[in-house]
Amino acid sequence: MNYEFHPAALQEYAEAVQFFAQYNQQQNFIDTIENCIFRIISAPERWPVIEGNIRRCLTPKFSYFILYKVYSERVVIVAVMSCRRDPDYWKSRLES
């Protein structure tokens, strides 16, 4: 199965990497997110649906969620979200 990022999700991922670079943790953050993505694409139905058909995978470190939508041949990552953010900020992305 393939995956892709919603453009806003890719932007927030890049911003999070920059944030963690301040603490020399950017590679650990990238590794954590990438490992979660590969776990998601290997078993996309494994994580719970939180709303509509959006699923949520909590990262084992860093207090981040990966929100994603499953299609027949791909997974679209809708958000790479800090658990400290407003839990509904990403919903406007579903309209585009």
Side-chain angles (χ1 to χ4, degrees):
M1 180 166 283
N2 295 317
Y3 73 95
E4 63 188 58
F5 284 88
H6 182 283
L10 187 58
Q11 177 65 34
E12 72 188 353
Y13 181 29
E15 290 170 2
V17 169
Q18 290 297 317
F19 173 78
F20 287 110
Q22 299 174 66
Y23 306 101
N24 294 320
Q25 290 294 310
Q26 71 272 17
Q27 193 59 53
N28 288 334
F29 180 73
I30 291 167
D31 292 345
T32 297
I33 296 297
E34 295 298 316
N35 285 335
C36 285
I37 290 170
F38 289 119
R39 288 176 40 218
I40 288 167
I41 62 174
S42 68
E45 307 294 327
R46 179 177 179 187
W47 284 271
V49 172
I50 60 163
E51 185 169 318
N53 52 7
I54 301 297
R55 293 179 178 270
R56 178 181 65 198
C57 175
L58 177 62
T59 63
K61 299 191 277 187
F62 297 102
S63 297
Y64 270 73
F65 290 120
I66 298 174
L67 303 179
Y68 65 97
K69 185 174 182 179
V70 180
Y71 294 92
S72 60
E73 298 293 323
R74 65 188 162 93
V75 168
V76 175
I77 298 168
V78 176
V80 178
M81 174 182 149
S82 169
C83 294
R84 295 180 178 177
R85 289 201 66 177
D86 170 12
D88 295 331
Y89 79 92
W90 54 272
K91 290 181 180 180
S92 65
R93 297 176 186 177
L94 299 178
E95 299 165 3
S96 57

XYZ file of all heavy atoms in Angstrom:
815
model
N 0.845 -1.177 0.000
C 0.000 0.000 0.000
C 0.887 1.236 0.000
O 1.911 1.273 0.662
C -0.917 -0.018 1.221
C -1.831 1.166 1.288
S -3.179 1.012 2.467
C -4.266 -0.062 1.561
N 0.474 2.254 -0.733
C 1.185 3.519 -0.804
C 0.621 4.498 0.215
O -0.470 4.292 0.742
C 1.038 4.126 -2.201
C 1.697 3.276 -3.252
O 2.796 2.781 -3.070
N 1.017 3.095 -4.365
N 1.371 5.572 0.444
C 0.859 6.634 1.309
C 1.268 7.973 0.748
O 2.210 8.083 -0.038
C 1.341 6.468 2.753
C 2.787 6.803 2.988
C 3.166 8.058 3.438
C 3.787 5.858 2.777
C 4.493 8.371 3.668
C 5.113 6.156 3.009
C 5.468 7.415 3.449
O 6.783 7.721 3.671
N 0.531 8.982 1.145
C 0.848 10.355 0.772
C 0.401 11.274 1.895
O -0.424 10.903 2.719
C 0.180 10.735 -0.544
C -1.328 10.715 -0.499
C -1.961 10.913 -1.862
O -1.667 10.114 -2.778
O -2.747 11.866 -1.986
N 0.977 12.449 1.909
C 0.621 13.463 2.888
C -0.321 14.483 2.265
O -0.111 14.916 1.125
C 1.864 14.233 3.350
C 2.748 13.497 4.304
C 3.761 12.676 3.843
C 2.578 13.633 5.667
C 4.597 12.019 4.718
C 3.404 12.978 6.560
C 4.418 12.162 6.084
N -1.333 14.881 3.019
C -2.064 16.088 2.670
C -1.024 17.212 2.739
O -0.145 17.191 3.613
C -3.185 16.316 3.696
C -4.028 17.496 3.414
N -3.609 18.782 3.680
C -5.263 17.599 2.879
C -4.556 19.622 3.335
N -5.575 18.926 2.837
N -1.046 18.199 1.838
C -0.018 19.248 1.856
C 0.137 19.941 3.215
O 1.262 20.223 3.649
C -0.485 20.235 0.785
C -1.307 19.405 -0.145
C -1.972 18.371 0.714
N -0.951 20.202 3.903
C -0.861 20.851 5.217
C -0.228 19.914 6.247
O 0.492 20.370 7.146
C -2.237 21.310 5.682
N -0.464 18.625 6.129
C 0.142 17.659 7.045
C 1.651 17.582 6.813
O 2.434 17.492 7.767
C -0.488 16.279 6.876
N 2.055 17.633 5.552
C 3.488 17.623 5.245
C 4.161 18.873 5.808
O 5.263 18.800 6.373
C 3.692 17.526 3.737
C 5.130 17.349 3.262
C 5.761 16.109 3.872
C 5.170 17.282 1.749
N 3.489 20.005 5.707
C 4.022 21.255 6.252
C 4.158 21.173 7.775
O 5.184 21.556 8.328
C 3.123 22.437 5.861
C 3.557 23.772 6.433
C 4.892 24.237 5.899
O 5.235 23.980 4.748
N 5.660 24.909 6.731
N 3.155 20.653 8.460
C 3.258 20.586 9.918
C 4.304 19.561 10.349
O 4.960 19.741 11.369
C 1.911 20.361 10.579
C 1.310 19.021 10.438
C -0.116 18.987 10.982
O -0.595 19.956 11.587
O -0.758 17.945 10.777
N 4.480 18.503 9.572
C 5.548 17.532 9.842
C 6.905 18.230 9.752
O 7.746 18.101 10.648
C 5.430 16.377 8.854
C 6.433 15.263 8.994
C 7.007 14.924 10.211
C 6.794 14.516 7.880
C 7.912 13.879 10.316
C 7.696 13.468 7.980
C 8.250 13.161 9.191
O 9.148 12.129 9.296
N 7.119 19.006 8.687
C 8.374 19.740 8.524
C 8.595 20.731 9.669
O 9.716 20.863 10.180
C 8.384 20.467 7.176
N 7.535 21.400 10.085
C 7.654 22.344 11.199
C 7.993 21.627 12.506
O 8.771 22.137 13.315
C 6.364 23.149 11.338
C 6.162 24.132 10.208
C 4.782 24.764 10.197
O 3.951 24.484 11.098
O 4.520 25.557 9.265
N 7.423 20.463 12.718
C 7.735 19.690 13.925
C 9.185 19.237 13.904
O 9.872 19.272 14.939
C 6.792 18.502 14.055
N 9.677 18.823 12.744
C 11.094 18.431 12.628
C 11.977 19.616 13.002
O 12.956 19.462 13.750
C 11.410 17.905 11.213
C 12.910 17.749 11.011
C 10.694 16.580 10.950
N 11.638 20.804 12.505
C 12.407 22.002 12.847
C 12.367 22.283 14.347
O 13.374 22.649 14.954
C 11.884 23.216 12.070
C 12.188 23.160 10.604
C 13.681 23.165 10.339
O 14.436 23.908 10.960
N 14.109 22.313 9.426
N 11.206 22.111 14.946
C 11.072 22.321 16.391
C 12.000 21.367 17.147
O 12.743 21.784 18.040
C 9.623 22.122 16.823
C 9.440 22.145 18.309
C 9.423 23.348 19.009
C 9.323 20.961 19.032
C 9.278 23.373 20.388
C 9.182 20.977 20.412
C 9.161 22.194 21.091
N 11.971 20.092 16.811
C 12.787 19.116 17.520
C 14.275 19.252 17.209
O 15.113 18.791 17.985
C 12.283 17.697 17.276
C 11.002 17.413 18.003
C 9.808 17.265 17.313
C 10.973 17.335 19.389
C 8.618 17.032 17.981
C 9.790 17.108 20.076
C 8.612 16.956 19.369
N 14.608 19.910 16.113
C 16.011 20.174 15.791
C 16.655 21.066 16.849
O 17.852 20.952 17.123
C 16.133 20.806 14.410
N 15.857 21.922 17.473
C 16.375 22.788 18.534
C 16.930 21.983 19.704
O 17.758 22.470 20.466
C 15.265 23.697 19.063
C 14.663 24.620 18.049
C 13.482 25.346 18.665
O 13.649 26.137 19.587
N 12.298 25.064 18.152
N 16.425 20.769 19.856
C 16.819 19.909 20.971
C 17.622 18.701 20.502
O 17.787 17.740 21.255
C 15.555 19.433 21.713
C 14.684 20.584 22.140
C 13.545 20.925 21.416
C 15.034 21.366 23.244
C 12.759 21.994 21.790
C 14.258 22.448 23.613
C 13.121 22.753 22.884
O 12.342 23.829 23.256
N 18.128 18.774 19.271
C 18.877 17.673 18.669
C 18.103 16.357 18.704
O 18.673 15.290 18.888
C 20.247 17.507 19.335
C 21.145 18.694 19.088
O 21.158 19.244 17.988
N 21.872 19.111 20.104
N 16.801 16.455 18.532
C 15.930 15.276 18.528
C 15.239 15.069 17.183
O 14.342 14.230 17.083
C 14.870 15.419 19.634
C 15.422 15.296 21.025
C 15.942 13.889 21.283
O 15.261 12.902 21.030
N 17.160 13.799 21.777
N 15.661 15.826 16.158
C 14.955 15.735 14.885
C 15.022 14.339 14.275
O 14.019 13.836 13.756
C 15.420 16.798 13.884
C 16.810 16.605 13.318
C 17.903 17.231 14.157
O 17.722 17.560 15.315
N 19.053 17.398 13.545
N 16.165 13.663 14.357
C 16.245 12.336 13.757
C 15.404 11.327 14.531
O 14.763 10.466 13.930
C 17.692 11.857 13.646
C 17.837 10.636 12.761
C 17.342 10.892 11.341
O 17.757 11.843 10.680
N 16.443 10.046 10.858
N 15.385 11.452 15.849
C 14.517 10.570 16.641
C 13.048 10.793 16.293
O 12.276 9.839 16.188
C 14.726 10.791 18.137
C 16.046 10.241 18.625
O 16.589 9.330 18.037
N 16.542 10.812 19.707
N 12.669 12.046 16.113
C 11.290 12.358 15.744
C 10.958 11.788 14.368
O 9.927 11.135 14.185
C 11.061 13.875 15.767
C 9.665 14.266 15.407
C 8.613 14.049 16.281
C 9.385 14.848 14.174
C 7.307 14.396 15.946
C 8.092 15.205 13.828
C 7.055 14.976 14.720
N 11.830 12.015 13.393
C 11.616 11.488 12.040
C 11.500 9.968 12.076
O 10.589 9.392 11.467
C 12.751 11.932 11.095
C 12.669 13.440 10.848
C 12.715 11.149 9.781
C 13.906 14.026 10.184
N 12.403 9.306 12.788
C 12.360 7.840 12.880
C 11.051 7.363 13.492
O 10.458 6.379 13.030
C 13.536 7.314 13.697
C 14.877 7.503 13.005
O 14.905 7.781 11.779
O 15.912 7.394 13.699
N 10.601 8.045 14.529
C 9.348 7.667 15.190
C 8.163 7.810 14.238
O 7.338 6.901 14.122
C 9.133 8.525 16.451
O 10.195 8.258 17.371
C 7.799 8.234 17.112
N 8.085 8.931 13.554
C 6.979 9.162 12.617
C 7.037 8.165 11.465
O 6.023 7.557 11.106
C 6.979 10.618 12.095
C 6.741 11.616 13.247
C 5.953 10.796 10.974
C 5.408 11.484 13.941
N 8.203 7.967 10.893
C 8.330 7.035 9.765
C 7.989 5.603 10.182
O 7.315 4.886 9.435
C 9.732 7.108 9.160
C 10.058 8.441 8.528
C 9.158 8.797 7.353
O 8.892 7.925 6.503
O 8.714 9.958 7.285
N 8.425 5.191 11.362
C 8.073 3.850 11.844
C 6.567 3.707 12.002
O 5.996 2.663 11.650
C 8.784 3.540 13.161
C 10.247 3.233 12.978
O 10.671 2.811 11.914
N 11.025 3.447 14.021
N 5.918 4.727 12.520
C 4.455 4.686 12.654
C 3.784 4.622 11.295
O 2.816 3.874 11.107
C 3.956 5.887 13.449
S 4.280 5.753 15.209
N 4.283 5.384 10.343
C 3.693 5.358 9.006
C 3.816 3.964 8.400
O 2.857 3.446 7.829
C 4.338 6.426 8.095
C 3.914 7.827 8.558
C 3.952 6.199 6.630
C 4.661 8.959 7.885
N 4.962 3.338 8.535
C 5.126 2.000 7.970
C 4.261 0.976 8.684
O 3.743 0.050 8.057
C 6.591 1.600 7.940
C 7.360 2.374 6.902
C 8.406 3.192 7.265
C 7.012 2.303 5.552
C 9.098 3.923 6.310
C 7.700 3.040 4.595
C 8.750 3.846 4.971
N 4.040 1.158 9.976
C 3.107 0.281 10.690
C 1.677 0.514 10.199
O 0.905 -0.441 10.050
C 3.213 0.516 12.196
C 4.502 -0.050 12.767
C 4.731 0.232 14.236
N 3.541 0.121 15.055
C 3.254 0.928 16.070
N 4.076 1.909 16.385
N 2.173 0.757 16.771
N 1.338 1.766 9.944
C 0.003 2.087 9.443
C -0.224 1.446 8.078
O -1.241 0.790 7.857
C -0.212 3.617 9.354
C -0.340 4.215 10.765
C -1.435 3.954 8.507
C -0.237 5.731 10.805
N 0.714 1.611 7.149
C 0.473 1.081 5.804
C 0.521 -0.443 5.764
O -0.059 -1.045 4.867
C 1.398 1.711 4.739
C 2.861 1.422 5.016
C 1.134 3.188 4.617
C 3.795 1.887 3.916
N 1.154 -1.059 6.750
C 1.156 -2.528 6.771
C -0.152 -3.089 7.324
O -0.515 -4.224 7.014
C 2.345 -3.055 7.567
O 2.201 -2.762 8.926
N -0.858 -2.315 8.141
C -2.145 -2.753 8.712
C -3.007 -1.521 8.985
O -3.214 -1.138 10.137
C -1.917 -3.545 9.987
N -3.511 -0.892 7.947
C -4.192 0.402 8.116
C -5.472 0.359 8.947
O -5.852 1.373 9.524
C -4.488 0.853 6.685
C -4.388 -0.369 5.863
C -3.436 -1.288 6.545
N -6.093 -0.778 9.045
C -7.340 -0.884 9.811
C -7.092 -1.107 11.306
O -8.037 -1.182 12.085
C -8.199 -2.025 9.262
C -8.453 -1.950 7.765
C -9.302 -0.769 7.346
O -10.187 -0.379 8.124
O -9.082 -0.246 6.242
N -5.854 -1.196 11.687
C -5.489 -1.535 13.071
C -5.860 -0.454 14.090
O -6.203 -0.751 15.224
C -3.988 -1.801 13.112
C -3.450 -2.129 14.459
C -1.981 -2.438 14.359
N -1.441 -2.746 15.659
C -0.174 -2.928 15.897
N 0.699 -2.857 14.919
N 0.251 -3.193 17.106
N -5.792 0.811 13.690
C -6.006 1.899 14.643
C -7.447 2.368 14.620
O -8.141 2.227 13.628
C -5.030 3.037 14.353
C -3.671 2.660 14.848
C -3.160 2.880 16.087
C -2.671 1.927 14.141
N -1.904 2.342 16.188
C -1.584 1.739 15.010
C -2.597 1.398 12.864
C -0.429 1.064 14.637
C -1.448 0.720 12.489
C -0.389 0.562 13.368
N -7.896 2.953 15.717
C -9.320 3.294 15.837
C -9.753 4.454 14.945
O -8.982 5.368 14.672
C -9.461 3.677 17.313
C -8.108 4.137 17.723
C -7.142 3.299 16.925
N -10.993 4.380 14.539
C -11.636 5.485 13.822
C -12.032 6.514 14.878
O -12.624 6.169 15.897
C -12.881 4.984 13.059
C -13.657 6.159 12.472
C -12.488 3.980 11.987
N -11.682 7.761 14.616
C -12.032 8.807 15.581
C -13.203 9.654 15.110
O -13.906 10.225 15.926
C -10.834 9.700 15.940
C -10.270 10.398 14.704
C -9.783 8.912 16.670
C -9.384 11.568 15.022
N -13.357 9.743 13.796
C -14.475 10.521 13.258
C -14.610 10.201 11.779
O -13.615 10.197 11.050
C -14.219 12.019 13.436
C -15.388 12.854 13.005
C -15.239 14.300 13.425
O -14.799 14.553 14.551
O -15.584 15.159 12.614
N -15.827 9.943 11.344
C -16.039 9.595 9.939
C -15.208 8.375 9.591
O -15.369 7.318 10.182
N -14.278 8.557 8.678
C -13.368 7.465 8.338
C -11.907 7.848 8.577
O -11.005 7.329 7.930
C -13.603 7.001 6.895
C -13.571 8.148 5.916
O -13.246 9.275 6.287
N -13.901 7.885 4.676
N -11.689 8.748 9.520
C -10.344 9.164 9.909
C -9.896 8.307 11.088
O -10.607 8.166 12.079
C -10.301 10.659 10.302
C -10.752 11.537 9.137
C -8.901 11.060 10.777
C -9.866 11.467 7.907
N -8.701 7.750 10.956
C -8.127 6.919 12.010
C -6.982 7.668 12.685
O -6.402 8.583 12.115
C -7.633 5.603 11.427
C -8.776 4.745 10.921
C -8.279 3.446 10.305
N -9.406 2.649 9.889
C -10.029 1.753 10.665
N -9.593 1.537 11.891
N -11.060 1.082 10.213
N -6.664 7.225 13.908
C -5.635 7.905 14.700
C -4.635 6.904 15.241
O -4.998 5.944 15.914
C -6.300 8.650 15.853
C -5.300 9.338 16.764
C -5.973 10.036 17.890
N -6.624 9.048 18.758
C -7.557 9.341 19.628
N -7.981 10.576 19.757
N -8.083 8.409 20.392
N -3.368 7.167 14.977
C -2.272 6.361 15.509
C -1.434 7.252 16.426
O -0.908 8.277 15.991
C -1.412 5.829 14.359
S 0.063 4.936 14.880
N -1.334 6.872 17.681
C -0.510 7.612 18.641
C 0.930 7.135 18.528
O 1.191 5.922 18.537
C -1.030 7.378 20.063
C -0.234 8.014 21.197
C -0.229 9.534 21.081
C -0.802 7.586 22.540
N 1.862 8.061 18.422
C 3.278 7.683 18.355
C 3.743 7.238 19.740
O 3.236 7.715 20.756
C 4.153 8.853 17.875
O 4.076 9.921 18.814
C 3.727 9.343 16.501
N 4.700 6.311 19.781
C 5.162 5.823 21.086
C 5.985 6.845 21.866
O 6.177 6.701 23.057
C 5.993 4.592 20.736
C 6.383 4.765 19.324
C 5.310 5.589 18.682
N 6.475 7.867 21.196
C 7.218 8.945 21.847
C 6.698 10.266 21.295
O 5.954 10.284 20.337
C 8.713 8.856 21.525
C 9.382 7.597 21.987
C 10.882 7.694 21.869
C 11.355 7.376 20.474
N 12.807 7.299 20.358
N 7.064 11.331 21.919
C 6.820 12.689 21.419
C 5.383 13.184 21.527
O 5.109 14.318 21.162
C 7.281 12.843 19.959
C 8.764 12.653 19.795
C 9.271 11.466 19.294
C 9.644 13.660 20.150
C 10.632 11.280 19.147
C 11.009 13.489 20.002
C 11.503 12.292 19.500
N 4.434 12.402 21.989
C 3.046 12.845 22.143
C 2.488 13.449 20.859
O 1.991 14.570 20.834
C 2.930 13.855 23.290
O 3.273 13.254 24.500
N 2.571 12.692 19.799
C 2.015 13.075 18.503
C 1.065 12.004 18.011
O 1.254 10.819 18.286
C 3.127 13.267 17.457
C 3.649 14.671 17.402
C 4.467 15.169 18.420
C 3.322 15.521 16.365
C 4.940 16.472 18.380
C 3.786 16.829 16.323
C 4.595 17.290 17.334
O 5.040 18.583 17.296
N 0.047 12.447 17.281
C -0.875 11.553 16.587
C -0.603 11.654 15.095
O -0.275 12.732 14.596
C -2.340 11.992 16.774
C -2.879 11.800 18.148
C -3.332 12.887 18.879
C -2.982 10.534 18.709
C -3.874 12.730 20.137
C -3.521 10.363 19.969
C -3.965 11.457 20.689
N -0.814 10.567 14.402
C -0.896 10.597 12.947
C -2.353 10.300 12.620
O -2.877 9.253 12.999
C 0.039 9.568 12.298
C 1.490 9.880 12.660
C -0.165 9.558 10.773
C 2.481 8.846 12.188
N -3.000 11.249 11.992
C -4.392 11.079 11.569
C -4.374 10.750 10.093
O -3.674 11.408 9.305
C -5.186 12.350 11.822
C -5.197 12.848 13.267
C -5.994 14.139 13.375
C -5.742 11.803 14.205
N -5.142 9.744 9.701
C -5.083 9.299 8.313
C -6.411 8.726 7.851
O -7.260 8.343 8.650
C -3.963 8.272 8.127
C -4.167 6.981 8.879
C -4.714 5.868 8.234
C -3.821 6.857 10.215
C -4.902 4.667 8.919
C -4.001 5.669 10.897
C -4.540 4.579 10.247
O -4.732 3.401 10.916
N -6.532 8.673 6.533
C -7.726 8.135 5.883
C -7.277 7.005 4.959
O -6.292 7.145 4.235
C -8.420 9.234 5.094
C -9.729 8.831 4.478
C -10.400 10.042 3.839
C -11.744 9.653 3.249
N -12.415 10.819 2.659
N -8.000 5.903 4.985
C -7.654 4.734 4.189
C -8.514 4.694 2.927
O -9.737 4.811 3.002
C -7.868 3.431 4.991
C -7.512 2.212 4.154
C -7.072 3.453 6.282
N -7.854 4.567 1.804
C -8.501 4.338 0.517
C -8.125 2.929 0.054
O -7.325 2.262 0.701
C -8.054 5.386 -0.514
C -8.506 6.781 -0.175
C -7.698 7.635 0.570
C -9.744 7.249 -0.597
C -8.114 8.915 0.886
C -10.168 8.538 -0.288
C -9.343 9.366 0.454
O -9.763 10.633 0.764
N -8.647 2.492 -1.063
C -8.405 1.114 -1.498
C -6.924 0.831 -1.770
O -6.438 -0.253 -1.448
C -9.243 0.779 -2.732
O -8.909 1.648 -3.786
N -6.200 1.782 -2.327
C -4.796 1.542 -2.689
C -3.803 2.456 -1.976
O -2.612 2.374 -2.236
C -4.617 1.723 -4.206
C -5.417 0.744 -5.030
C -4.944 -0.688 -4.866
O -3.721 -0.897 -4.751
O -5.805 -1.592 -4.830
N -4.309 3.335 -1.104
C -3.395 4.287 -0.468
C -3.938 4.757 0.869
O -5.115 4.627 1.161
C -3.134 5.484 -1.376
C -4.352 6.330 -1.648
C -4.082 7.384 -2.719
N -5.321 7.898 -3.260
C -5.945 8.983 -2.821
N -5.426 9.689 -1.844
N -7.078 9.375 -3.356
N -3.031 5.311 1.630
C -3.348 5.967 2.892
C -2.977 7.432 2.720
O -1.893 7.748 2.228
C -2.533 5.343 4.055
C -2.617 6.186 5.303
C -2.983 3.918 4.321
N -3.875 8.313 3.118
C -3.589 9.748 3.076
C -3.442 10.232 4.513
O -4.366 10.097 5.322
C -4.695 10.540 2.357
C -4.418 12.043 2.431
C -4.806 10.090 0.912
N -2.275 10.769 4.814
C -2.016 11.318 6.143
C -2.578 12.729 6.169
O -2.144 13.600 5.412
C -0.514 11.278 6.463
C -0.054 9.820 6.475
C -0.220 11.987 7.776
C 1.422 9.613 6.502
N -3.559 12.916 7.032
C -4.285 14.174 7.111
C -3.606 15.144 8.078
O -3.646 16.352 7.883
C -5.747 13.918 7.556
C -6.508 15.205 7.731
C -6.442 13.010 6.555
N -2.961 14.607 9.118
C -2.301 15.464 10.107
C -1.204 14.698 10.822
O -1.312 13.495 11.048
C -3.311 15.983 11.129
N -0.152 15.426 11.164
C 0.883 14.964 12.081
C 0.762 15.933 13.244
O 1.302 17.026 13.228
C 2.280 14.995 11.436
C 3.346 14.549 12.424
C 2.311 14.137 10.174
N -0.026 15.525 14.229
C -0.594 16.444 15.207
C -0.003 16.277 16.600
O 0.015 15.175 17.137
C -2.100 16.153 15.263
C -2.853 16.882 16.295
S -4.587 16.338 16.225
C -5.007 16.534 17.923
N 0.437 17.372 17.166
C 0.824 17.368 18.565
C -0.422 17.160 19.418
O -1.483 17.722 19.131
C 1.476 18.704 18.933
O 1.627 18.807 20.336
N -0.298 16.365 20.444
C -1.433 16.123 21.351
C -1.843 17.384 22.099
O -2.901 17.419 22.715
C -1.088 15.018 22.341
S -0.862 13.411 21.565
N -1.037 18.421 22.037
C -1.339 19.679 22.721
C -2.181 20.632 21.881
O -2.613 21.669 22.369
C -0.048 20.375 23.120
C 0.719 19.583 24.146
C 1.976 20.283 24.527
N 2.659 19.496 25.558
C 3.808 19.815 26.067
N 4.436 20.898 25.654
N 4.356 19.059 26.992
N -2.398 20.289 20.618
C -3.169 21.167 19.735
C -4.657 20.969 19.912
O -5.112 19.949 20.426
C -2.815 20.882 18.278
C -1.413 21.371 17.944
C -1.208 21.572 16.497
N -2.025 22.649 15.951
C -1.960 23.028 14.696
N -1.160 22.421 13.867
N -2.719 23.992 14.253
N -5.405 21.939 19.420
C -6.865 21.822 19.364
C -7.181 20.558 18.571
O -6.717 20.408 17.442
C -7.434 23.055 18.677
C -8.906 22.954 18.348
O -9.588 22.018 18.835
O -9.389 23.810 17.597
N -7.946 19.644 19.121
C -8.167 18.371 18.450
C -8.978 18.450 17.158
O -9.031 17.475 16.415
C -8.900 17.536 19.503
C -9.483 18.510 20.449
C -8.593 19.714 20.428
N -9.558 19.596 16.852
C -10.386 19.720 15.655
C -9.765 20.565 14.540
O -10.384 20.736 13.497
C -11.742 20.331 16.026
C -12.560 19.423 16.933
O -12.397 18.188 16.833
O -13.335 19.958 17.730
N -8.563 21.065 14.724
C -7.997 22.012 13.754
C -7.843 21.423 12.353
O -7.914 22.142 11.356
C -6.631 22.535 14.232
C -5.495 21.574 13.989
C -4.741 21.650 12.819
C -5.188 20.576 14.896
C -3.718 20.754 12.576
C -4.178 19.695 14.667
C -3.437 19.781 13.501
O -2.421 18.883 13.268
N -7.675 20.155 12.217
C -7.392 19.493 10.943
C -8.649 19.235 10.098
O -8.547 18.905 8.930
C -6.702 18.150 11.198
C -7.491 17.273 12.130
C -7.409 17.254 13.492
C -8.525 16.362 11.781
N -8.327 16.363 14.005
C -9.021 15.803 12.973
C -9.087 15.958 10.569
C -10.050 14.863 12.987
C -10.103 15.013 10.589
C -10.578 14.486 11.792
N -9.820 19.399 10.665
C -11.053 19.006 9.979
C -11.289 19.757 8.666
O -11.878 19.203 7.738
C -12.253 19.141 10.909
C -12.222 18.098 12.012
C -13.414 18.208 12.918
C -13.329 17.137 14.003
N -14.460 17.201 14.890
N -10.837 20.965 8.562
C -11.007 21.720 7.313
C -10.235 21.092 6.166
O -10.543 21.322 5.000
C -10.589 23.173 7.498
O -9.202 23.235 7.778
N -9.244 20.272 6.454
C -8.452 19.620 5.417
C -9.260 18.572 4.650
O -8.903 18.208 3.538
C -7.221 18.942 6.021
C -6.298 19.934 6.650
C -5.137 19.273 7.319
N -4.375 20.285 8.011
C -3.323 20.046 8.748
N -2.897 18.806 8.887
N -2.695 21.022 9.347
N -10.307 18.067 5.232
C -11.111 17.050 4.580
C -11.919 17.621 3.428
O -12.337 16.899 2.537
C -12.049 16.380 5.595
C -11.356 15.668 6.739
C -12.397 15.103 7.691
C -10.432 14.582 6.232
N -12.128 18.924 3.440
C -12.921 19.577 2.406
C -12.126 19.781 1.132
O -12.680 19.941 0.063
C -13.446 20.917 2.918
C -14.347 20.747 4.121
C -14.583 22.041 4.865
O -14.089 23.097 4.428
O -15.271 21.994 5.891
N -10.798 19.786 1.245
C -9.965 20.055 0.060
C -9.459 18.789 -0.575
O -9.623 17.713 -0.092
C -8.789 20.949 0.430
O -8.014 20.365 1.452
